[in-house]
Amino acid sequence: MSLSKAFILSHKKDNSTESMADKIQIRQSVLDAVGGAVFDGCAGHGEMYKAVWKNADGYIGCGEKYFDKDHRTMFVCDNKRIMRNIDLTPFKIFDFDNYGSPWDQMIILSARRKVIPGEKIGIVITDGIGIRLKMGMMTNSLHNLVGGKKQTPGLFLGKDYIFMSAIKCIARKMNCEIE
């Protein structure tokens, strides 16, 4: 069975302004490798749109507030609600750069966006769950993907294994290999 490819670039960065150049470079790498339309689930003020996504073949963003200065196409509401109600097939790149955990969105994506053989998609995620793992706790959605005990001392020590397990689970559900 021929599986499709999902482009994953793993690079640890935080949401500080000092990391802006790195965040732009990561997204540019994904756009160059995959191309196509972008679903930006955490569009915010539009920094990534202005720097990279405006050059994509299409763009739809989601955010809590509307910013009309850049004339982006935006849904102003919870991105999970939109993801459950629109056709995700036209999008080749998904960007979930929220301040918490992207795993709810990733579960919805894996249930609603199957990848056809030969197709390539890109997913950019930011996971800010490290502090919760340091306290020995996992979010429900991350726990649903990787299993194990939801509250365990020392979870942070296995964070890389937990995150890769979650990504592999998502790839399987979407009929993809990780590239």
Side-chain angles (χ1 to χ4, degrees), residues 83-96:
M83 290 180 70
R84 289 184 185 107
N85 287 287
I86 67 169
D87 181 11
L88 299 174
T89 307
F91 303 103
K92 304 292 183 204
I93 299 172
F94 298 87
D95 186 349
F96 302 119

Side-chain angles (χ1 to χ4, degrees), residues 11-172:
H11 196 59
K12 184 179 177 183
K13 291 292 161 195
D14 63 8
N15 285 320
S16 69
T17 54
E18 293 86 31
S19 68
M20 189 63 69
D22 293 318
K23 292 171 75 170
I24 291 168
Q25 188 269 326
I26 289 167
R27 283 158 181 80
Q28 188 62 57
S29 295
V30 172
L31 183 59
D32 293 344
V34 176
V38 175
F39 179 84
D40 188 354
C42 306
H45 288 80
E47 291 94 348
M48 295 303 114
Y49 173 79
K50 292 172 204 157
V52 180
W53 298 143
K54 70 178 181 198
N55 299 318
D57 293 338
Y59 176 91
I60 290 185
C62 272
E64 300 286 322
K65 297 178 183 174
Y66 177 68
F67 302 94
D68 63 353
K69 294 178 183 172
D70 51 28
H71 307 291
R72 305 176 274 163
T73 303
M74 289 279 296
F75 288 105
V76 182
C77 67
D78 179 14
N79 59 21
K80 295 182 295 281
R81 175 174 268 173
I82 292 300
M83 290 180 70
R84 289 184 185 107
N85 287 287
I86 67 169
D87 181 11
L88 299 174
T89 307
F91 303 103
K92 304 292 183 204
I93 299 172
F94 298 87
D95 186 349
F96 302 119
D97 185 9
N98 54 349
Y99 290 105
S101 176
W103 301 110
D104 286 339
Q105 292 84 354
M106 294 292 285
I107 289 170
I108 296 167
L109 180 64
S110 69
R112 301 210 57 243
R113 176 62 166 88
K114 299 304 177 207
V115 181
I116 60 173
E119 182 180 24
K120 188 182 274 193
I121 66 165
I123 301 172
V124 179
I125 62 171
T126 302
D127 194 315
I129 197 167
I131 202 97
R132 186 176 272 216
L133 290 175
K134 284 182 182 178
M135 294 187 297
M137 297 182 293
M138 255 192 260
T139 62
N140 289 333
S141 53
L142 186 57
H143 178 260
N144 289 340
L145 289 170
V146 301
K149 291 186 177 181
K150 196 171 166 190
Q151 291 189 334
T152 306
L155 277 176
F156 186 75
L157 298 173
K159 70 179 174 20
D160 293 338
Y161 175 79
I162 291 168
F163 294 147
M164 275 315 296
S165 295
I167 289 169
K168 287 177 182 177
C169 181
I170 294 295
R172 272 192 312 277

